[in-house]
Amino acid sequence: QVQLAESGGGLVQPGGSLKLSCAASGSIFRINSMAWYRQAPGKERELVAADTRGGSRNYADSVKGRFTISRDNAKNTVYLQMNSLKPEDTAVYYCNAAILRFGDYKLDDYWGQGTQVTVSS
């Protein structure tokens, strides 16, 4: 079994900052890519930021220069530092990881349960 556990969401005023964390646990042989997605009410889930094991990172245009994704491979954890937050950043944020499991060495996609980020005055 593999699980992703997110933390760090909450309510913040416009212009403020939050840092999300997502820790992977279980029968993990290797984690390839890790990413953050978000879904606002009435909208489709969208990619916010992604980090490959090789260190390549990409961001949605709407968050470039404000959000930073980083990883701690020793802790199987990915972070999302969010600065200069705007009301339109309000959404449920989901962690995603492509993980190779011990045993069957099958590569699968995993999702966290989501954490709410609300940007409002």
Side-chain angles (χ1 to χ4, degrees), residues 5-120:
E6 298 136 335
S7 61
L11 173 65
V12 64
Q13 292 187 341
S17 298
L18 279 176
K19 186 174 185 177
L20 306 182
S21 300
C22 172
S25 62
S27 300
I28 299 169
F29 176 71
R30 186 181 69 233
I31 300 177
N32 289 351
S33 62
M34 299 189 85
W36 289 94
Y37 287 74
R38 68 185 180 187
Q39 187 166 19
K43 294 188 176 181
E44 293 187 354
R45 190 173 297 190
E46 63 173 355
L47 176 67
V48 176
D51 182 293
T52 69
R53 190 172 180 85
S56 174
R57 296 173 180 172
N58 58 79
Y59 297 91
D61 288 342
S62 59
V63 308
K64 281 180 182 177
R66 300 188 298 122
F67 291 11
T68 302
I69 188 170
S70 61
R71 284 172 66 166
D72 184 336
N73 290 325
K75 295 181 179 180
N76 290 336
T77 299
V78 64
Y79 306 96
L80 186 68
Q81 176 67 48
M82 305 185 293
N83 299 327
S84 302
L85 282 160
K86 305 175 181 179
E88 51 263 44
D89 294 317
T90 296
V92 177
Y93 284 70
Y94 296 91
C95 175
N96 168 265
I99 296 175
L100 201 64
R101 294 194 302 256
F102 273 115
D104 58 10
Y105 298 98
K106 182 181 177 185
L107 184 67
D108 268 333
D109 225 25
Y110 294 89
W111 292 89
Q113 79 285 358
T115 185
Q116 177 70 46
V117 171
T118 302
V119 185
S120 174

